[in-house]
Amino acid sequence: MKYRVAKGKAKIYPIYEHLIIRFDRVSRPVRIEIHGDPHVSLMRGIYKNPTKRSSHKTKSDPSFDKPLQMLHVDLCGPIAKQSLNRKKYILVLIYEFSRYTWVEFIRTKSHVPMLLINLLKRLQFLHDMQVRVIRSDNGTEFKNSTIEDYLTSVGITYNFSTPRTPQQNVVVERKNRTLVEAATTMLNASSLPLTLWAEVVSTACYTHNRSLVVKRFEKTPYQLLYNKRSNIKFFHVFGCKCYVLNDREPVGKFDPKGDNVIFIGYAWDSLAYRVYVPRTQIVVVAPQTSYNIN
């Protein structure tokens, strides 16, 4: 005897030699063969249907109450369009306590282990704090002997999320989406070439660290990490046209002394701006006093 399972309300209708059962949450009708006890076989067919995963509750409180004790790491990419420096991946690090974020751009996944190790050394040295736990997904760029040997030698615990369960690494996964969506909006609004996506993501991360407020503390990530307020008086509108002194090329007596450029971001390691020069299609770092932004 054959039974057919179809969509609809939970009712049973006998029609000749078929049994039609309607369910609320079955996405498509299925046909099953009944052998032996029809009730047992029918339940087996129902359990084989695809089901939805249960939702994950949002984590309201952080696991640690001090900076840099726990870092969330993820790799975003590959990006279809290479950046100006031929980068295709975004390495995102965000620490649990204040949500301060770092981004690095790489060409291949093979660069992740050494880059991550160098970043850990630099962060711990600059802030004089010991990282205790690192959490990431099960990607081979993170789950390898190079990283595991280093973390074991320095006493750092490595946590991995369950495969195909990004909800367990939700802190950095949501940050990835926030940065990508912000960069997409900024690129579309400014009509800049897509090859500048790395610069735009870096700018979005830079401004988020100094402007977004962590609700639990009513402070910005920068203020929680450095224990001081960030100066945002030098912030300017992304994509605005500006003028910068051309001190990179030999200029004649009566030649223009500057270039018309487009403001695209801030230098992380110095008090300067990053601007895009359409004439040469390159990105340069300009001191604060060398040009004016209107």
Side-chain angles (χ1 to χ4, degrees):
M1 181 180 295
K2 294 182 178 180
Y3 292 79
R4 186 162 63 89
V5 181
K7 296 187 294 184
K9 296 182 178 180
K11 295 182 180 180
I12 300 177
Y13 301 93
I15 301 180
Y16 301 107
E17 61 178 1
H18 296 83
L19 179 65
I20 299 179
I21 304 178
R22 303 182 184 276
F23 293 90
D24 289 329
R25 297 183 179 179
V26 177
S27 59
R28 61 182 184 276
V30 297
R31 184 181 295 275
I32 58 176
E33 295 286 342
I34 300 299
H35 301 282
D37 189 351
H39 298 287
V40 175
S41 300
L42 182 61
M43 292 305 297
R44 289 176 180 173
I46 293 173
Y47 285 128
K48 288 182 179 180
N49 284 340
T51 58
K52 295 182 179 179
R53 290 189 177 185
S54 58
S55 60
H56 291 248
K57 294 183 179 180
T58 303
K59 187 177 180 180
S60 57
D61 297 327
S63 302
F64 296 89
D65 57 356
K66 293 182 180 180
L68 288 182
Q69 288 189 336
M70 183 173 187
L71 281 175
H72 299 265
V73 187
D74 192 30
L75 188 67
C76 180
I79 310 299
K81 189 74 172 180
Q82 291 185 354
S83 67
L84 284 179
N85 295 329
R86 296 186 296 174
K87 304 298 178 62
K88 299 183 66 176
Y89 294 90
I90 310 171
L91 180 63
V92 182
L93 291 85
I94 178 171
Y95 85 83
E96 173 85 11
F97 179 67
S98 73
R99 301 299 195 263
Y100 193 94
T101 308
W102 295 267
V103 290
E104 294 288 343
F105 306 96
I106 56 177
R107 296 182 182 180
T108 62
K109 290 185 177 182
S110 61
H111 296 162
V112 171
M114 292 309 301
L115 178 60
L116 180 59
I117 292 174
N118 292 334
L119 284 173
L120 288 174
K121 292 179 180 178
R122 186 177 66 184
L123 292 177
Q124 293 180 120
F125 177 78
L126 288 176
H127 302 287
D128 194 20
M129 294 181 183
Q130 176 65 36
V131 177
R132 295 184 180 180
V133 181
I134 294 179
R135 176 173 294 171
S136 69
D137 57 24
N138 269 270
T140 55
E141 63 272 13
F142 299 116
K143 201 170 186 179
N144 54 71
S145 59
T146 303
I147 295 180
E148 291 178 357
D149 292 344
Y150 170 76
L151 297 182
T152 302
S153 64
V154 296
I156 299 177
T157 303
Y158 209 164
N159 290 343
F160 298 99
S161 60
T162 306
R164 297 175 298 279
T165 312
Q167 295 88 345
Q168 294 182 355
N169 201 24
V170 67
V171 174
V172 69
E173 294 287 352
R174 286 182 175 176
K175 193 63 178 183
N176 287 347
R177 180 175 179 178
T178 300
L179 292 175
V180 170
E181 289 184 349
T184 302
T185 303
M186 295 162 68
L187 279 174
N188 292 336
S190 59
S191 301
L192 289 172
L194 293 179
T195 52
L196 293 175
W197 63 262
E199 296 286 343
V200 182
V201 171
S202 179
T203 301
C205 181
Y206 187 93
T207 54
H208 285 181
N209 285 335
R210 289 159 175 79
S211 58
L212 297 183
V213 176
V214 181
K215 185 177 180 181
R216 181 189 179 196
F217 304 102
E218 295 297 331
K219 297 180 180 179
T220 62
Y222 182 93
Q223 189 174 357
L224 288 171
L225 179 62
Y226 294 98
N227 199 24
K228 64 179 181 179
R229 290 189 176 183
S230 58
N231 180 17
I232 59 174
K233 293 182 179 180
F234 60 92
F235 276 14
H236 295 285
V237 178
F238 177 84
C240 65
K241 296 181 180 180
C242 51
Y243 178 84
V244 62
L245 179 66
N246 184 10
D247 54 0
R248 306 172 307 278
E249 302 171 346
V251 180
K253 291 292 185 181
F254 299 101
D255 293 335
K257 300 300 188 293
D259 275 325
N260 292 322
V261 297
I262 300 175
F263 169 76
I264 59 173
Y266 312 89
W268 284 67
D269 53 357
S270 61
L271 185 59
Y273 296 119
R274 297 181 66 85
V275 295
Y276 174 67
V277 186
R279 180 177 61 85
T280 57
Q281 296 185 353
I282 61 173
V283 176
V284 298
V285 177
Q288 185 176 2
T289 58
S290 64
Y291 67 100
N292 295 321
I293 299 179
N294 297 324

